[in-house]
Amino acid sequence: MVKITVDLVRKKAEHHDCLLAPLEEIALHQENIEKIEYLQDWCPKLKILLMQSNLIAKIENLNKLKHLTYLNLALNNIEVIENLERCESLQKLDLTLNFIGDIVSVESLKDNYNLENLYLTGNPCTDYENYRDFVIGTIPQLNSLDGRDIERSDRIKALQNLPIIKSDIIFEQQIYMGQRKVQKTRLDRDIQDKWENLYKDMDPEERNKKFWAEKTEHAPEVRYEIERMRQLKLKSCETNDKKEEKREYRLFTNDGRPFNINQPKIDFKFNVEEPNKYILDLAVYKHLDTSLLDVDIQPNYVRVIIKNKIFQLHLPDDVDTTNSKAERSQITGHLVITMPKANILIVKKNSIPQRNKPTPQPYTEHKVKDCQKGAVQSKRELLEIGPPDNVLDLSKMTLTKSKPDYINPRFSVGCKQPSPDFVDNPEVPDLI
């Protein structure tokens, strides 16, 4: 049984900042509510209340809604019109496709002097002879019944024949009420027997097929049973979903080796033919938003999360995560991840090895032969060894120098002589 709760009402009042007291309109349709309660206390200023397509069997707990102008209770299980006398502002009442057989109960709407529109289409009472004349004569303030305007001649005719019409209506109503009582007893017994015996040990899928294939009567009890079957089906679907959600994927083995996982079941190509890098091509759906992709490249594995589903691939060798990159094709939508291998030595082809240079000597001596004299003379050539003069020498930067390397010639180098009357005080230390 679904009840009206504060959370449900606040959820439906989001456009009013979830405040209930000043709420003037609320829609609680298709919520499987079986009883009207609490609304007149929580929302006293309601003007429009929409509660169609529920399982409400009785109109109640609305007498405090003094501002209510429109009440929609279509497609419910209501059998009697009641408890609306104090809704003095009510202008429109929709009771389409209910089970109202007690047509005399419309007399309870006499005091709703603002009531202009009434809908009773699809109720058993509409099959009574002179049903329309009876309602028009009973509620003279109506302007429209079941979507048809009421003419002045219709109202005069209904008021003139109201006593005779009422006696015939009451007779037909009694017949229907007797049939309804028998139907209710029979359906309650059959439904209880069906659930206790036939459906007790039956497979849920087979039970659903059998139930929906059977012909059913149009009665409140059948509506309850239909809703019961629908809730059981929803629960079975939720159970299956929960079972799938409980499955946990292990990302690593006990020794830390990453697993290969393809949870989104996506096609991919892994290129290992390149000598210096790995290329992973994921066939991502073209129109998938890139914000739904999360790429994580680690030295020994690559992981891509696609719409909260994990794709993980173990790499044969370690890769350089700093220089790795992920690119998305604007044409196909594929995600291409390029991962250079780590610690790879690149050797150029046709490279010439460098020879060891000789250790430089302070000078070299060449022997030159004099062709004319036939004698051998020695010739020395000095070589420049060491850094040039303009390079800073940082090896002596911590040594104390007696005087600076450069003295401005504008300043005199001589010492300043003390005045004639100067007396040296030995207790005063020298200036540095």
Side-chain angles (χ1 to χ4, degrees):
M1 179 178 179
V2 179
K3 294 184 178 181
I4 299 176
T5 61
V6 175
D7 295 335
L8 176 62
V9 179
R10 289 189 186 279
K11 181 180 179 182
K12 298 296 181 178
E14 291 179 347
H15 55 291
H16 284 282
D17 298 330
C18 299
L19 299 176
L20 302 186
L23 194 64
E24 296 183 354
E25 178 181 352
I26 189 169
L28 297 173
H29 56 278
Q30 296 180 347
E31 295 290 341
N32 300 322
I33 298 171
E34 298 185 18
K35 186 178 181 180
I36 305 173
E37 53 186 351
Y38 308 126
L39 291 177
Q40 62 180 356
D41 298 322
W42 296 341
C43 313
K45 295 184 179 181
L46 271 181
K47 292 183 178 180
I48 300 175
L49 178 58
L50 307 176
M51 300 191 70
Q52 64 269 28
S53 299
N54 284 293
L55 299 173
I56 299 170
K58 185 178 181 180
I59 304 174
E60 57 185 342
N61 299 322
L62 297 175
N63 56 314
K64 294 182 182 179
L65 298 177
K66 303 298 183 180
H67 305 281
L68 187 65
T69 59
Y70 176 34
L71 175 61
N72 192 334
L73 292 171
L75 283 166
N76 280 281
N77 294 336
I78 297 171
E79 299 188 54
V80 180
I81 303 173
E82 56 186 345
N83 301 322
L84 292 174
E85 297 87 351
R86 296 186 181 180
C87 297
E88 54 193 31
S89 300
L90 188 62
Q91 298 177 5
K92 183 177 179 180
L93 176 62
D94 192 345
L95 296 171
T96 304
L97 287 174
N98 278 273
F99 298 94
I100 299 173
D102 188 358
I103 190 60
V104 180
S105 62
V106 298
E107 294 179 349
S108 63
L109 300 175
K110 285 182 179 181
D111 296 332
N112 298 95
Y113 49 85
N114 288 312
L115 185 62
E116 298 178 352
N117 300 292
L118 177 63
Y119 293 86
L120 294 172
T121 306
N123 286 274
C125 63
T126 57
D127 296 332
Y128 299 166
E129 189 176 357
N130 297 322
Y131 140 79
R132 183 176 175 85
D133 292 338
F134 175 75
V135 176
I136 294 174
T138 305
I139 313 175
Q141 66 269 28
L142 282 181
N143 292 331
S144 173
L145 177 61
D146 298 334
R148 290 171 53 191
D149 292 339
I150 300 174
E151 302 293 338
R152 183 180 179 185
S153 58
D154 297 335
R155 184 173 289 106
I156 294 173
K157 179 183 175 181
L159 290 172
Q160 289 176 348
N161 300 323
L162 184 59
I164 300 173
I165 294 173
K166 185 175 181 179
S167 61
D168 294 338
I169 286 288
I170 292 175
F171 177 74
E172 292 186 64
Q173 177 179 300
Q174 290 176 349
I175 295 174
Y176 169 79
M177 298 299 289
Q179 294 174 351
R180 170 71 187 120
K181 185 177 181 180
V182 174
Q183 181 191 43
K184 182 178 178 1
T185 304
R186 175 174 52 81
L187 288 175
D188 288 340
R189 183 182 65 250
D190 293 345
I191 292 173
Q192 183 178 1
D193 180 68
K194 190 186 298 183
W195 283 95
E196 290 180 355
N197 299 319
L198 183 61
Y199 293 161
K200 184 177 181 180
D201 300 324
M202 188 177 292
D203 182 72
E205 294 185 2
E206 183 181 355
R207 179 187 62 197
N208 290 336
K209 291 180 180 179
K210 182 176 179 58
F211 176 80
W212 296 113
E214 292 179 349
K215 292 183 178 181
T216 57
E217 302 180 41
H218 184 59
E221 292 77 19
V222 176
R223 279 193 181 175
Y224 283 118
E225 189 180 16
I226 291 173
E227 182 59 28
R228 181 179 181 181
M229 292 296 295
R230 196 176 69 85
Q231 292 296 332
L232 289 175
K233 186 177 181 180
L234 290 176
K235 287 182 180 180
S236 62
C237 295
E238 290 178 358
T239 304
N240 295 332
D241 294 341
K242 289 180 180 179
K243 288 182 180 179
E244 293 181 359
E245 291 176 359
K246 286 182 180 178
R247 181 182 176 184
E248 296 181 358
Y249 285 87
R250 291 186 60 193
L251 302 179
F252 303 95
T253 60
N254 295 331
D255 57 355
R257 185 179 65 84
F259 281 117
N260 292 330
I261 302 173
N262 191 357
Q263 189 179 3
K265 299 180 181 179
I266 190 172
D267 296 333
F268 68 95
K269 294 180 181 179
F270 185 57
N271 187 1
V272 295
E273 297 179 358
E274 296 287 341
N276 304 323
K277 59 184 176 181
Y278 295 124
I279 300 176
L280 175 63
D281 187 351
L282 288 172
V284 178
Y285 180 55
K286 179 179 179 180
H287 301 288
L288 181 67
D289 193 348
T290 307
S291 62
L292 300 176
L293 301 176
D294 186 12
V295 181
D296 182 17
I297 302 175
Q298 296 297 329
N300 61 338
Y301 71 90
V302 56
R303 181 186 302 160
V304 182
I305 300 178
I306 306 172
K307 294 180 67 175
N308 298 326
K309 293 185 178 181
I310 300 174
F311 175 90
Q312 181 171 286
L313 184 65
H314 175 54
L315 302 175
D317 298 316
D318 290 350
V319 297
D320 184 3
T321 59
T322 304
N323 297 320
S324 299
K325 61 180 180 179
E327 298 174 321
R328 184 89 184 273
S329 174
Q330 295 182 355
I331 300 175
T332 62
H334 286 208
L335 179 65
V336 180
I337 303 175
T338 305
M339 298 165 285
K341 294 181 182 179
N343 301 324
I344 298 297
L345 294 177
I346 301 176
V347 180
K348 294 183 179 180
K349 295 182 180 180
N350 302 326
S351 60
I352 300 175
Q354 297 180 355
R355 297 179 180 179
N356 296 329
K357 295 182 179 180
T359 305
Q361 300 294 332
Y363 61 88
T364 57
E365 181 177 348
H366 299 277
K367 292 182 179 181
V368 182
K369 184 178 181 181
D370 191 349
C371 298
Q372 296 179 357
K373 297 180 179 181
V376 178
Q377 297 179 357
S378 63
K379 183 179 180 180
R380 292 184 178 181
E381 296 179 357
L382 296 177
L383 299 179
E384 294 181 1
I385 301 175
D389 296 337
N390 58 353
V391 178
L392 293 176
D393 185 7
L394 303 178
S395 61
K396 299 179 180 180
M397 64 183 298
T398 57
L399 299 178
T400 305
K401 295 183 179 180
S402 58
K403 61 180 180 178
D405 296 336
Y406 173 75
I407 299 176
N408 195 329
R410 293 178 296 175
F411 299 99
S412 59
V413 183
C415 297
K416 183 179 180 181
Q417 298 298 327
S419 59
D421 57 348
F422 173 75
V423 178
D424 187 10
N425 189 353
E427 295 180 0
V428 178
D430 295 336
L431 295 176
I432 299 174

